[in-house]
Amino acid sequence: MAKPAERLTGLVLAAHTTAADATANMAVVAHLCGHSPQQTGVLLDRLVAGRTLAAWHHQRDTDEVHWQPAALPRSVSGSTYSSAH
């Protein structure tokens, strides 16, 4: 189970992810997560280890962080939900 700081970081990234782009300014992400950029980098590593993210990269010259969300397992994305009434 993800720790609260990891869940918050994932939520911040999800809020900044569009179909065309998964990037934001590292200072903004760090501020929204309540951590330093260095601590945010550690949290991003944990999201990769936990398979929430496939990868991430900090482009230091522009201070942008880029990430790739992990693909959903086929059983989740291909399933249908039904409930009994």
Coordinates of all heavy atoms in Angstrom, one line a residue:
M1 N 0.8 -1.2 0.0 CA 0.0 0.0 0.0 C 0.9 1.2 0.0 O 1.9 1.3 0.7 CB -0.9 0.0 1.2 CG -1.8 1.2 1.3 SD -2.7 1.2 2.8 CE -4.4 1.1 2.2
A2 N 0.5 2.2 -0.8 CA 1.3 3.4 -0.9 C 1.1 4.3 0.3 O 0.1 4.4 0.9 CB 0.9 4.2 -2.2
K3 N 2.2 5.0 0.7 CA 2.2 5.9 1.8 C 1.5 7.2 1.4 O 1.4 7.5 0.2 CB 3.6 6.2 2.3 CG 4.3 5.0 2.8 CD 5.7 5.3 3.3 CE 6.4 4.0 3.8 NZ 7.7 4.3 4.3
P4 N 1.0 7.9 2.3 CA 0.2 9.2 2.0 C 1.0 10.1 1.1 O 0.5 10.7 0.1 CB -0.1 9.8 3.3 CG -0.2 8.6 4.3 CD 0.9 7.7 3.8
A5 N 2.3 10.3 1.3 CA 3.1 11.2 0.5 C 3.2 10.7 -1.0 O 3.2 11.5 -1.9 CB 4.5 11.3 1.1
E6 N 3.3 9.4 -1.1 CA 3.3 8.8 -2.5 C 1.9 9.0 -3.2 O 1.9 9.3 -4.3 CB 3.7 7.3 -2.4 CG 5.1 7.1 -1.9 CD 5.4 5.7 -1.6 OE1 4.6 4.8 -2.0 OE2 6.4 5.4 -0.9
R7 N 0.9 8.8 -2.4 CA -0.5 8.9 -3.0 C -0.7 10.4 -3.4 O -1.3 10.7 -4.4 CB -1.5 8.5 -2.0 CG -1.4 6.9 -1.8 CD -2.6 6.3 -1.1 NE -3.4 7.1 -0.3 CZ -3.6 6.9 1.0 NH1 -3.0 6.0 1.7 NH2 -4.4 7.7 1.7
L8 N -0.3 11.3 -2.6 CA -0.4 12.8 -2.9 C 0.4 13.1 -4.1 O -0.1 13.8 -5.0 CB 0.0 13.6 -1.7 CG 0.0 15.2 -2.0 CD1 -1.4 15.6 -2.4 CD2 0.5 15.9 -0.8
T9 N 1.6 12.6 -4.2 CA 2.4 12.8 -5.4 C 1.8 12.3 -6.7 O 1.7 12.9 -7.7 CB 3.9 12.2 -5.2 OG1 4.4 12.8 -4.0 CG2 4.7 12.5 -6.4
G10 N 1.2 11.1 -6.6 CA 0.5 10.5 -7.7 C -0.7 11.3 -8.1 O -1.0 11.5 -9.3
L11 N -1.4 11.8 -7.1 CA -2.6 12.7 -7.4 C -2.1 14.0 -8.1 O -2.8 14.4 -9.1 CB -3.3 13.0 -6.1 CG -4.5 13.8 -6.2 CD1 -5.6 13.2 -7.1 CD2 -5.1 14.1 -4.8
V12 N -1.1 14.6 -7.6 CA -0.6 15.8 -8.3 C -0.2 15.5 -9.7 O -0.5 16.3 -10.6 CB 0.6 16.4 -7.5 CG1 1.3 17.5 -8.3 CG2 0.1 16.9 -6.1
L13 N 0.5 14.4 -9.9 CA 0.9 14.0 -11.3 C -0.3 13.8 -12.2 O -0.4 14.2 -13.3 CB 1.8 12.8 -11.3 CG 3.2 13.0 -10.6 CD1 4.0 11.7 -10.8 CD2 3.9 14.2 -11.2
A14 N -1.3 13.1 -11.6 CA -2.5 12.8 -12.4 C -3.2 14.1 -12.8 O -3.8 14.2 -13.9 CB -3.5 11.9 -11.6
A15 N -3.2 15.1 -11.9 CA -3.9 16.4 -12.2 C -3.1 17.1 -13.3 O -3.7 18.0 -13.9 CB -4.0 17.2 -10.9
H16 N -1.9 16.8 -13.5 CA -1.1 17.5 -14.5 C -0.8 16.6 -15.7 O 0.0 17.0 -16.6 CB 0.3 17.9 -13.9 CG 0.2 19.1 -13.0 ND1 -0.1 19.0 -11.7 CD2 0.3 20.4 -13.3 CE1 -0.2 20.2 -11.1 NE2 0.1 21.1 -12.1
T17 N -1.5 15.5 -15.8 CA -1.4 14.6 -17.0 C -2.5 14.8 -17.9 O -3.7 14.8 -17.5 CB -1.3 13.1 -16.5 OG1 -0.2 13.0 -15.6 CG2 -1.1 12.2 -17.7
T18 N -2.2 15.0 -19.2 CA -3.2 15.1 -20.2 C -2.9 14.0 -21.2 O -1.9 13.3 -21.2 CB -3.2 16.4 -21.0 OG1 -1.9 16.6 -21.7 CG2 -3.3 17.6 -20.0
A19 N -3.8 13.8 -22.2 CA -3.6 12.8 -23.2 C -2.4 13.1 -24.0 O -1.7 12.2 -24.5 CB -4.9 12.7 -24.1
A20 N -2.0 14.4 -24.2 CA -0.9 14.7 -25.0 C 0.4 15.0 -24.2 O 1.4 15.0 -24.8 CB -1.3 16.0 -25.8
D21 N 0.3 15.1 -22.9 CA 1.5 15.6 -22.2 C 1.5 15.1 -20.7 O 0.4 15.0 -20.1 CB 1.5 17.1 -22.2 CG 2.9 17.7 -21.8 OD1 3.9 17.0 -22.0 OD2 2.9 18.8 -21.3
A22 N 2.6 14.7 -20.3 CA 2.8 14.4 -18.8 C 4.0 15.1 -18.4 O 5.1 14.5 -18.2 CB 2.9 12.8 -18.7
T23 N 3.9 16.3 -18.1 CA 5.1 17.2 -17.7 C 4.6 18.3 -16.9 O 3.5 18.8 -17.0 CB 5.9 17.7 -19.0 OG1 7.0 18.3 -18.6 CG2 5.0 18.6 -19.8
A24 N 5.5 18.8 -16.0 CA 5.2 20.0 -15.2 C 6.5 20.5 -14.7 O 7.5 19.8 -14.8 CB 4.3 19.6 -14.1
N25 N 6.5 21.7 -14.2 CA 7.7 22.3 -13.6 C 8.0 21.6 -12.3 O 7.0 21.4 -11.4 CB 7.4 23.8 -13.4 CG 8.7 24.5 -12.8 OD1 8.9 24.4 -11.6 ND2 9.4 25.1 -13.7
M26 N 9.2 21.1 -12.0 CA 9.5 20.4 -10.8 C 9.2 21.2 -9.6 O 8.7 20.7 -8.6 CB 11.0 20.0 -10.8 CG 11.5 19.3 -9.6 SD 10.6 17.8 -9.1 CE 11.8 16.6 -9.6
A27 N 9.5 22.5 -9.6 CA 9.2 23.4 -8.4 C 7.8 23.4 -8.1 O 7.4 23.4 -6.9 CB 9.8 24.8 -8.7
V28 N 6.9 23.4 -9.1 CA 5.5 23.4 -8.9 C 5.0 22.0 -8.3 O 4.3 22.0 -7.3 CB 4.7 23.7 -10.2 CG1 3.2 23.4 -10.1 CG2 5.0 25.1 -10.7
V29 N 5.5 20.9 -8.9 CA 5.1 19.6 -8.4 C 5.6 19.5 -6.9 O 4.9 19.1 -6.0 CB 5.7 18.5 -9.2 CG1 5.5 17.1 -8.6 CG2 5.1 18.5 -10.6
A30 N 6.8 19.9 -6.6 CA 7.4 19.8 -5.3 C 6.6 20.7 -4.3 O 6.2 20.2 -3.2 CB 8.8 20.3 -5.3
H31 N 6.2 21.9 -4.7 CA 5.4 22.8 -3.9 C 4.0 22.1 -3.6 O 3.6 22.2 -2.4 CB 5.2 24.1 -4.6 CG 4.3 25.0 -3.8 ND1 4.7 25.7 -2.7 CD2 3.0 25.4 -4.1 CE1 3.7 26.4 -2.2 NE2 2.7 26.3 -3.1
L32 N 3.4 21.6 -4.6 CA 2.1 21.0 -4.4 C 2.1 19.8 -3.5 O 1.1 19.5 -2.8 CB 1.4 20.7 -5.8 CG 1.0 21.9 -6.6 CD1 0.6 21.5 -8.0 CD2 -0.1 22.7 -5.9
C33 N 3.2 19.1 -3.6 CA 3.4 17.9 -2.7 C 3.9 18.2 -1.3 O 3.9 17.4 -0.4 CB 4.4 16.9 -3.4 SG 3.8 16.2 -4.9
G34 N 4.3 19.5 -1.1 CA 4.8 19.9 0.2 C 6.2 19.4 0.5 O 6.5 19.2 1.7
H35 N 7.0 19.2 -0.5 CA 8.4 18.6 -0.3 C 9.4 19.4 -1.2 O 9.0 20.2 -2.0 CB 8.4 17.2 -0.8 CG 7.6 16.3 0.0 ND1 7.9 15.9 1.3 CD2 6.4 15.6 -0.3 CE1 6.9 15.1 1.8 NE2 6.0 14.9 0.8
S36 N 10.6 19.2 -0.9 CA 11.7 19.8 -1.7 C 11.8 19.1 -3.0 O 11.2 17.9 -3.1 CB 13.0 19.7 -1.0 OG 13.5 18.4 -1.0
P37 N 12.4 19.7 -4.0 CA 12.5 18.9 -5.3 C 13.3 17.6 -5.1 O 13.0 16.6 -5.7 CB 13.3 19.9 -6.2 CG 12.9 21.2 -5.7 CD 12.8 21.1 -4.2
Q38 N 14.3 17.6 -4.2 CA 15.0 16.3 -3.9 C 14.1 15.3 -3.3 O 14.1 14.1 -3.7 CB 16.2 16.6 -3.0 CG 17.3 17.5 -3.6 CD 16.9 19.0 -3.6 OE1 16.0 19.4 -2.9 NE2 17.7 19.8 -4.3
Q39 N 13.3 15.7 -2.4 CA 12.3 14.7 -1.8 C 11.3 14.2 -2.8 O 10.9 13.1 -2.8 CB 11.6 15.4 -0.6 CG 12.5 15.6 0.6 CD 11.8 16.5 1.6 OE1 11.2 17.5 1.3 NE2 12.0 16.1 2.9
T40 N 10.9 15.1 -3.7 CA 9.9 14.8 -4.7 C 10.5 13.8 -5.7 O 9.9 12.8 -6.1 CB 9.4 16.0 -5.5 OG1 8.9 16.9 -4.5 CG2 8.4 15.7 -6.5
G41 N 11.8 13.9 -6.0 CA 12.5 12.9 -6.8 C 12.5 11.6 -6.2 O 12.3 10.5 -6.8
V42 N 12.7 11.5 -4.9 CA 12.7 10.2 -4.1 C 11.3 9.6 -4.2 O 11.1 8.4 -4.5 CB 13.1 10.4 -2.7 CG1 12.8 9.1 -1.9 CG2 14.6 10.8 -2.6
L43 N 10.2 10.4 -4.1 CA 8.9 10.0 -4.2 C 8.5 9.5 -5.6 O 7.9 8.5 -5.8 CB 7.9 11.1 -3.8 CG 7.9 11.4 -2.3 CD1 7.1 12.7 -2.0 CD2 7.3 10.3 -1.5
L44 N 9.1 10.2 -6.6 CA 8.9 9.7 -8.0 C 9.5 8.3 -8.2 O 9.0 7.5 -8.9 CB 9.4 10.7 -9.0 CG 8.6 12.0 -9.0 CD1 9.3 13.1 -9.8 CD2 7.2 11.8 -9.5
D45 N 10.7 8.2 -7.6 CA 11.4 6.8 -7.7 C 10.5 5.8 -7.1 O 10.4 4.6 -7.6 CB 12.7 6.9 -7.0 CG 13.8 7.6 -7.8 OD1 13.6 7.8 -9.0 OD2 14.8 8.0 -7.2
R46 N 9.9 6.1 -5.9 CA 9.0 5.1 -5.2 C 7.8 4.8 -6.1 O 7.3 3.6 -6.1 CB 8.6 5.7 -3.9 CG 9.7 5.7 -2.9 CD 9.1 6.2 -1.6 NE 10.2 6.5 -0.6 CZ 10.1 7.1 0.5 NH1 8.9 7.6 0.8 NH2 11.1 7.3 1.3
L47 N 7.3 5.8 -6.8 CA 6.1 5.5 -7.7 C 6.5 4.6 -8.9 O 5.7 3.8 -9.3 CB 5.5 6.8 -8.2 CG 4.8 7.7 -7.2 CD1 4.4 9.0 -7.8 CD2 3.7 7.0 -6.5
V48 N 7.7 4.7 -9.3 CA 8.2 3.8 -10.4 C 8.4 2.4 -9.8 O 7.9 1.4 -10.3 CB 9.6 4.3 -11.0 CG1 10.2 3.2 -11.9 CG2 9.3 5.6 -11.8
A49 N 9.0 2.3 -8.6 CA 9.1 1.0 -7.9 C 7.8 0.4 -7.6 O 7.7 -0.9 -7.7 CB 9.9 1.2 -6.6
G50 N 6.8 1.2 -7.3 CA 5.5 0.6 -7.0 C 4.6 0.5 -8.3 O 3.5 0.1 -8.2
R51 N 5.2 0.8 -9.4 CA 4.6 0.6 -10.7 C 3.4 1.5 -11.0 O 2.5 1.2 -11.8 CB 4.2 -0.9 -11.0 CG 5.4 -1.8 -11.0 CD 5.0 -3.2 -11.3 NE 6.3 -4.0 -11.3 CZ 6.3 -5.2 -11.4 NH1 5.2 -5.9 -11.6 NH2 7.5 -5.9 -11.4
T52 N 3.3 2.6 -10.3 CA 2.4 3.7 -10.6 C 2.8 4.4 -11.8 O 2.0 4.9 -12.6 CB 2.2 4.6 -9.4 OG1 1.7 3.9 -8.3 CG2 1.2 5.7 -9.7
L53 N 4.1 4.7 -11.9 CA 4.8 5.3 -13.1 C 5.7 4.3 -13.7 O 6.3 3.4 -13.1 CB 5.7 6.5 -12.6 CG 5.0 7.7 -12.0 CD1 6.1 8.7 -11.6 CD2 4.0 8.3 -12.9
A54 N 5.7 4.4 -15.1 CA 6.7 3.5 -15.8 C 8.1 4.1 -15.8 O 9.0 3.4 -15.7 CB 6.2 3.4 -17.3
A55 N 8.1 5.5 -15.8 CA 9.4 6.2 -15.8 C 9.2 7.6 -15.5 O 8.1 8.1 -15.6 CB 10.1 6.0 -17.1
W56 N 10.3 8.3 -15.1 CA 10.2 9.8 -15.0 C 11.6 10.3 -15.2 O 12.6 9.6 -15.1 CB 9.7 10.2 -13.6 CG 10.7 10.0 -12.5 CD1 10.9 8.9 -11.8 CD2 11.5 11.0 -11.9 NE1 11.9 9.1 -10.8 CE2 12.3 10.4 -10.9 CE3 11.8 12.4 -12.2 CZ2 13.2 11.1 -10.1 CZ3 12.7 13.1 -11.5 CH2 13.4 12.5 -10.4
H57 N 11.7 11.6 -15.6 CA 13.0 12.3 -15.9 C 12.9 13.7 -15.5 O 11.9 14.4 -15.8 CB 13.3 12.1 -17.3 CG 14.5 12.9 -17.8 ND1 15.8 12.6 -17.4 CD2 14.6 14.1 -18.5 CE1 16.6 13.5 -17.9 NE2 15.9 14.4 -18.5
H58 N 13.9 14.3 -14.8 CA 14.0 15.7 -14.5 C 14.9 16.3 -15.5 O 16.1 16.0 -15.5 CB 14.5 15.9 -13.1 CG 14.5 17.3 -12.6 ND1 15.3 17.7 -11.6 CD2 13.9 18.4 -13.1 CE1 15.1 19.0 -11.4 NE2 14.3 19.5 -12.3
Q59 N 14.4 17.2 -16.3 CA 15.2 18.0 -17.3 C 15.7 19.2 -16.6 O 14.9 20.2 -16.4 CB 14.3 18.3 -18.5 CG 15.2 18.9 -19.6 CD 14.3 18.9 -20.9 OE1 13.3 18.2 -21.1 NE2 14.8 19.8 -21.8
R60 N 16.9 19.2 -16.1 CA 17.4 20.2 -15.2 C 17.5 21.6 -15.9 O 17.3 22.6 -15.2 CB 18.7 19.8 -14.6 CG 18.5 18.6 -13.7 CD 19.8 18.2 -12.9 NE 19.7 17.0 -12.3 CZ 19.0 16.7 -11.2 NH1 18.4 17.7 -10.6 NH2 19.0 15.5 -10.7
D61 N 17.8 21.7 -17.1 CA 18.0 23.0 -17.8 C 16.7 23.8 -17.9 O 16.7 25.0 -17.8 CB 18.7 22.9 -19.2 CG 17.9 22.0 -20.1 OD1 17.1 21.1 -19.7 OD2 18.0 22.2 -21.4
T62 N 15.6 23.1 -17.9 CA 14.3 23.8 -17.9 C 13.5 23.6 -16.6 O 12.4 24.2 -16.5 CB 13.4 23.2 -19.1 OG1 13.1 21.9 -18.9 CG2 14.1 23.5 -20.4
D63 N 14.0 22.8 -15.7 CA 13.4 22.4 -14.5 C 12.0 21.7 -14.7 O 11.2 21.7 -13.8 CB 13.2 23.6 -13.5 CG 13.1 23.1 -12.1 OD1 13.7 22.1 -11.7 OD2 12.3 23.8 -11.3
E64 N 11.9 21.0 -15.8 CA 10.7 20.3 -16.0 C 10.9 18.8 -15.7 O 11.9 18.3 -15.8 CB 10.3 20.3 -17.5 CG 9.7 21.7 -17.9 CD 9.1 21.6 -19.3 OE1 9.7 20.9 -20.2 OE2 8.1 22.3 -19.6
V65 N 9.8 18.3 -15.1 CA 9.8 16.8 -14.8 C 8.8 16.2 -15.8 O 7.7 16.7 -16.0 CB 9.4 16.5 -13.3 CG1 8.1 17.0 -13.0 CG2 9.6 15.1 -13.0
H66 N 9.2 15.1 -16.4 CA 8.4 14.4 -17.4 C 8.2 13.0 -16.8 O 9.1 12.4 -16.2 CB 9.2 14.2 -18.7 CG 9.6 15.5 -19.3 ND1 8.8 16.2 -20.2 CD2 10.7 16.2 -19.1 CE1 9.4 17.3 -20.6 NE2 10.6 17.3 -19.9
W67 N 7.0 12.4 -17.0 CA 6.7 11.1 -16.5 C 5.9 10.3 -17.4 O 5.2 10.9 -18.3 CB 6.1 11.2 -15.1 CG 4.8 11.9 -15.1 CD1 3.5 11.3 -15.3 CD2 4.5 13.3 -14.9 NE1 2.5 12.3 -15.2 CE2 3.2 13.5 -15.0 CE3 5.4 14.4 -14.7 CZ2 2.6 14.8 -14.9 CZ3 4.8 15.6 -14.6 CH2 3.5 15.8 -14.7
Q68 N 5.9 9.0 -17.3 CA 5.1 8.1 -18.1 C 4.3 7.3 -17.1 O 4.8 6.5 -16.4 CB 6.0 7.2 -18.9 CG 5.2 6.3 -19.8 CD 6.1 5.4 -20.7 OE1 7.3 5.6 -20.6 NE2 5.5 4.5 -21.4
P69 N 3.0 7.5 -17.1 CA 2.1 6.6 -16.2 C 2.3 5.2 -16.6 O 2.5 4.8 -17.8 CB 0.7 7.1 -16.5 CG 0.9 8.5 -17.1 CD 2.2 8.5 -17.8
A70 N 2.2 4.3 -15.7 CA 2.3 2.9 -15.9 C 1.0 2.4 -16.6 O -0.1 3.0 -16.4 CB 2.4 2.1 -14.6
A71 N 1.1 1.5 -17.5 CA -0.1 0.9 -18.2 C -0.9 0.2 -17.2 O -0.4 -0.5 -16.3 CB 0.4 0.0 -19.3
L72 N -2.2 0.2 -17.4 CA -3.1 -0.5 -16.6 C -3.0 -2.0 -17.0 O -2.9 -2.3 -18.1 CB -4.6 -0.1 -16.8 CG -4.9 1.3 -16.3 CD1 -6.4 1.7 -16.6 CD2 -4.8 1.4 -14.8
P73 N -3.1 -2.9 -16.0 CA -3.2 -4.3 -16.3 C -4.4 -4.6 -17.2 O -5.4 -4.0 -17.0 CB -3.3 -5.0 -15.0 CG -2.9 -4.0 -14.0 CD -3.2 -2.6 -14.6
R74 N -4.2 -5.5 -18.1 CA -5.3 -5.9 -19.0 C -6.6 -6.3 -18.3 O -7.7 -6.0 -18.7 CB -4.9 -7.0 -19.9 CG -4.0 -6.5 -21.0 CD -3.7 -7.6 -22.0 NE -3.0 -7.1 -23.1 CZ -3.2 -7.4 -24.3 NH1 -4.1 -8.3 -24.6 NH2 -2.6 -6.8 -25.3
S75 N -6.5 -7.0 -17.2 CA -7.6 -7.4 -16.4 C -8.4 -6.3 -15.9 O -9.6 -6.4 -15.7 CB -7.2 -8.4 -15.3 OG -6.4 -7.7 -14.4
V76 N -7.8 -5.2 -15.6 CA -8.5 -4.0 -15.1 C -9.1 -3.2 -16.2 O -10.3 -2.8 -16.2 CB -7.5 -3.1 -14.2 CG1 -8.2 -1.8 -13.8 CG2 -7.1 -3.8 -13.0
S77 N -8.3 -2.9 -17.2 CA -8.8 -2.0 -18.3 C -9.8 -2.7 -19.2 O -10.7 -2.1 -19.8 CB -7.6 -1.5 -19.2 OG -7.0 -2.6 -19.8
G78 N -9.8 -4.1 -19.3 CA -10.7 -4.8 -20.1 C -11.9 -5.3 -19.4 O -12.8 -5.9 -20.0
S79 N -12.0 -5.1 -18.1 CA -13.1 -5.7 -17.3 C -14.3 -4.8 -17.4 O -14.2 -3.6 -17.7 CB -12.7 -5.9 -15.9 OG -12.5 -4.7 -15.3
T80 N -15.4 -5.4 -17.2 CA -16.7 -4.6 -17.1 C -17.2 -4.7 -15.7 O -17.0 -5.7 -15.0 CB -17.7 -5.1 -18.1 OG1 -18.0 -6.5 -17.9 CG2 -17.2 -4.9 -19.5
Y81 N -17.9 -3.7 -15.3 CA -18.4 -3.7 -13.9 C -19.9 -4.0 -14.0 O -20.6 -3.4 -14.8 CB -18.2 -2.3 -13.3 CG -18.8 -2.2 -11.9 CD1 -18.1 -2.8 -10.8 CD2 -20.0 -1.6 -11.7 CE1 -18.7 -2.7 -9.5 CE2 -20.6 -1.5 -10.5 CZ -19.9 -2.1 -9.4 OH -20.5 -2.0 -8.2
S82 N -20.3 -4.9 -13.2 CA -21.8 -5.1 -13.1 C -22.1 -5.4 -11.6 O -21.3 -5.8 -10.9 CB -22.2 -6.4 -13.9 OG -21.5 -7.5 -13.4
S83 N -23.3 -5.0 -11.3 CA -23.7 -5.2 -9.9 C -25.1 -5.8 -9.9 O -25.9 -5.6 -10.8 CB -23.7 -3.8 -9.2 OG -24.7 -3.0 -9.7
A84 N -25.3 -6.6 -8.9 CA -26.6 -7.2 -8.7 C -27.5 -6.3 -7.9 O -27.0 -5.6 -7.0 CB -26.4 -8.5 -7.9
H85 N -28.7 -6.2 -8.3 CA -29.7 -5.3 -7.6 C -30.5 -6.1 -6.7 O -31.0 -7.0 -6.8 CB -30.6 -4.6 -8.6 CG -29.8 -3.6 -9.5 ND1 -29.4 -2.4 -9.0 CD2 -29.2 -3.8 -10.7 CE1 -28.7 -1.8 -10.0 NE2 -28.6 -2.6 -11.0

